Amino acid sequence: MIKSTIEEKTNISTIKNLLENVNVIQNKYDDIAEITGEKFNIFSVLNLTSNEVRTHSAFIGELLNVKGSHGLKDVPLKLFIKILEEKFTPPKVDESENLIGEDRFKFITETALTTVEKNISRLNEDKTEGGRIDIIIQDKNKTNGLVIENKIYAREQENQLIRYYNYCKENFSKEIPILYLTLNGSFPTSGLDLIEKQHYFNISYKEDIINWLELCVKEASDKPMLREAIKQYIYLIKKLTGQTLNKKMGEEIQDLILKNFLSAEQIVKEFEKIKYKISGSIRTRIADNLILGLGSKYIVTKRNNVGDTNSGIWLELKDYQNLGIYFGIEPFSGKGNVRNELFFGVLNLNDKDKTIFENHNFKCARWWRDVDFFENHEDFKNNRINFSDSEFINFLGKDQTRQNELVEKISKRMIEFINYKENSLINVCKEIISKNNN
């Protein structure tokens, strides 16, 4: 018993020293970043960190455009193709190997045309044709090209890759690659019978895009404004993909972890727990406030574990149960919408009867009606509430008063919204019931 107690104290002491040493390293590089201006990031300042169209497709598409304002002509496109070839067409070890054709990604880059957000046609009934392609690059004769489906946080649409495959099959004289681009190289779910590394190819921001951008930085060495813009974008991607921003800092911390490996492992195990302990406590207290503030008219439910995607609070009118219509707040995990920020609105779980909602002045966006975002504490993180943001969790975790203020602010805003929209929602419910009964 005494031996076990001594070991526990020793382990806690080691963990404490490890955290203190990491903090020293972090502070050192924070000071360097302060001096050099590295902390300033134009994408973060303008709140464009996770906007797929306005930020990521626009930036990547401009670099891949041979007539782009970067002035590098077709160099970035050639570098991008080089990255793809190295990743997907490795040298043959055996002549019998069934590898991708060596010319799969090749085409004449000098006259290539790049289009961002290309509208290919209206969606058909089974959603196998039509829609918009995030980025499409094609040669002059529409013989070769590349299609890029860009996903940061948005969900895949039904049959999305199938639509792009059908479009390419119809409009190009040979099969062109579809690149499925995500933060960490996730697999698509909308491809049905499409075959990976034949019909589509998974690439990631974390590895492929960063590697490509670093090559572009070298090519832009004599163009300081372009070079620094690309560096800022690399910084943004590393933040989105959870990579250490400073290589030297990362190496120092890695050396420290190797010397204290078991203690570091224990910290990792507890990290997510404390993160969701804070957001879970906030969610529970908000739910309790809503119950008290709205009386007995609503069934208030905490949906999903707090760390799950779309974890939230749903409020259902007791007199109109089982319609799949709720007031809602999501996501307390910071996972579940394009911006990862906490939002509120009316959830129509079955995504039906949009016309009825619109007739009662609800703005419809997929399953949600009248979506809005909560305002945060002034002068912090551009007024954003994002429970996946470590800086935000750190901001809340250090001061219980800040947590209390956040709980009260969200609760008050949600009650105001519900009181404002309640009669309209009741009328919607009545119309839906009437329609279903006829």
Side-chain angles (χ1 to χ4, degrees):
M1 180 68 178
I2 294 174
K3 183 179 178 182
S4 176
T5 304
I6 293 172
E7 287 177 350
E8 286 176 4
K9 287 183 177 179
T10 303
N11 190 38
I12 291 172
S13 176
T14 305
I15 290 172
K16 184 179 178 181
N17 289 333
L18 175 59
L19 289 171
E20 288 174 350
N21 288 331
V22 169
N23 194 48
V24 168
I25 294 171
Q26 177 76 56
N27 288 338
K28 178 177 75 173
Y29 284 98
D30 278 350
D31 290 342
I32 293 172
E34 192 80 38
I35 293 168
T36 61
E38 186 180 342
K39 285 187 174 181
F40 178 85
N41 187 274
I42 191 66
F43 300 101
S44 298
V45 170
L46 298 178
N47 199 19
L48 294 171
T49 57
S50 57
N51 191 301
E52 289 171 6
V53 177
R54 292 171 59 204
T55 303
H56 298 280
S57 291
F59 194 93
I60 292 170
E62 182 67 11
L63 271 182
L64 292 174
N65 186 352
V66 301
K67 296 181 180 179
S69 56
H70 48 74
L72 295 175
K73 298 184 179 179
D74 66 339
V75 171
L77 179 55
K78 283 182 175 177
L79 292 174
F80 189 69
I81 291 171
K82 179 184 176 184
I83 291 285
L84 297 175
E85 289 177 330
E86 291 176 351
K87 184 181 181 82
F88 296 114
T89 58
K92 288 185 179 181
V93 177
D94 188 322
E95 286 299 320
S96 64
E97 283 186 295
N98 182 24
L99 294 177
I100 297 163
E102 293 179 3
D103 64 342
R104 187 67 192 277
F105 301 102
K106 289 188 182 298
F107 56 92
I108 299 172
T109 56
E110 289 86 349
T111 56
L113 174 66
T114 298
T115 307
V116 177
E117 283 288 291
K118 181 179 178 63
N119 194 339
I120 54 179
S121 68
R122 293 186 65 178
L123 285 175
N124 64 357
E125 190 172 345
D126 61 3
K127 299 182 180 178
T128 56
E129 294 179 5
R132 289 184 179 181
I133 295 176
D134 291 331
I135 302 173
I136 184 167
I137 309 162
Q138 59 193 50
D139 62 15
K140 191 174 182 180
N141 299 319
K142 277 196 172 183
T143 303
N144 298 292
L146 293 171
V147 163
I148 302 175
E149 171 54 24
N150 185 20
K151 292 292 182 193
I152 301 294
Y153 296 118
R155 297 188 183 103
E156 278 182 79
Q157 299 168 23
E158 185 181 350
N159 293 333
Q160 194 164 15
L161 285 193
I162 295 292
R163 295 203 297 271
Y164 304 155
Y165 175 76
N166 289 337
Y167 171 81
C168 294
K169 192 174 180 180
E170 184 177 338
N171 288 273
F172 287 84
S173 58
K174 61 179 287 188
E175 190 171 299
I176 71 170
I178 298 172
L179 306 176
Y180 186 70
L181 172 60
T182 59
L183 288 176
N184 298 297
S186 303
F187 283 83
T189 58
S190 64
L192 296 179
D193 297 327
L194 298 185
I195 301 170
E196 184 202 0
K197 294 185 181 179
Q198 180 177 330
H199 301 122
Y200 71 88
F201 302 82
N202 287 337
I203 61 173
S204 71
Y205 278 93
K206 186 174 184 178
E207 180 181 333
D208 307 301
I209 296 298
I210 285 180
N211 290 343
W212 168 59
L213 290 171
E214 286 175 345
L215 293 176
C216 291
V217 166
K218 292 177 183 178
E219 294 296 329
S221 60
D222 61 342
K223 299 178 185 294
M225 294 185 72
L226 173 63
R227 182 188 67 230
E228 295 309 313
I230 298 172
K231 283 184 176 180
Q232 290 228 337
Y233 188 57
I234 291 173
Y235 182 98
L236 169 64
I237 293 173
K238 286 186 174 181
K239 184 174 181 180
L240 289 175
T241 54
Q243 299 180 75
T244 304
L245 299 176
N246 190 299
K247 188 175 180 181
K248 289 184 179 179
M249 180 180 74
E251 289 172 352
E252 285 192 42
I253 293 174
Q254 288 169 25
D255 289 341
L256 194 59
I257 288 172
L258 285 173
K259 294 173 184 175
N260 303 273
F261 194 81
L262 294 178
S263 297
E265 183 182 38
Q266 191 62 40
I267 292 171
V268 171
K269 289 178 180 176
E270 302 302 323
F271 179 79
E272 290 295 303
K273 292 180 184 177
I274 188 62
K275 177 179 175 181
Y276 292 128
K277 182 178 180 181
I278 292 170
S279 57
S281 171
I282 288 170
R283 181 173 72 157
T284 296
R285 291 169 60 199
I286 290 170
D288 291 343
N289 281 357
L290 294 176
I291 292 169
L292 288 173
L294 296 168
S296 59
K297 287 190 291 185
Y298 288 89
I299 300 169
V300 180
T301 308
K302 290 183 287 184
R303 299 291 297 188
N304 301 329
N305 295 322
V306 72
D308 293 344
T309 300
N310 298 322
S311 61
I313 299 173
W314 289 4
L315 303 97
E316 185 178 32
L317 282 158
K318 286 184 179 178
D319 291 342
Y320 301 94
Q321 293 182 50
N322 303 318
L323 291 178
I325 296 174
Y326 307 85
F327 286 105
I329 309 173
E330 293 182 4
F332 285 89
S333 60
K335 298 180 289 187
N337 68 77
V338 173
R339 290 162 54 174
N340 283 343
E341 296 175 46
L342 197 69
F343 68 91
F344 62 94
V346 173
L347 176 62
N348 180 9
L349 196 57
N350 299 316
D351 192 23
K352 294 169 64 177
D353 303 304
K354 285 185 179 179
T355 302
I356 295 176
F357 279 94
E358 289 169 347
N359 289 341
H360 289 274
N361 297 317
F362 284 91
K363 296 176 182 177
C364 299
R366 300 190 72 182
W367 296 284
W368 287 89
R369 317 286 177 248
D370 276 23
V371 169
D372 200 357
F373 291 84
F374 290 100
E375 291 182 351
N376 191 11
H377 299 281
E378 293 181 5
D379 301 322
F380 180 78
K381 297 295 288 182
N382 298 321
N383 294 329
R384 300 170 63 194
I385 299 175
N386 182 347
F387 287 104
S388 65
D389 189 322
S390 296
E391 290 183 32
F392 181 64
I393 296 295
N394 182 54
F395 174 78
L396 292 176
K398 287 181 177 179
D399 191 342
Q400 185 65 45
T401 302
R402 289 171 177 164
Q403 293 184 39
N404 295 341
E405 290 174 359
L406 188 65
V407 167
E408 293 305 314
K409 180 174 286 190
I410 292 172
S411 302
K412 181 181 177 182
R413 181 70 185 93
M414 193 63 191
I415 290 172
E416 288 174 351
F417 175 71
I418 291 172
N419 287 336
Y420 177 65
K421 283 290 183 179
E422 185 178 90
N423 288 336
S424 295
L425 191 63
I426 288 172
N427 289 332
V428 167
C429 292
K430 286 179 178 177
E431 280 194 39
I432 291 173
I433 291 170
S434 175
K435 187 192 83 170
N436 292 339
N437 289 337
N438 291 333

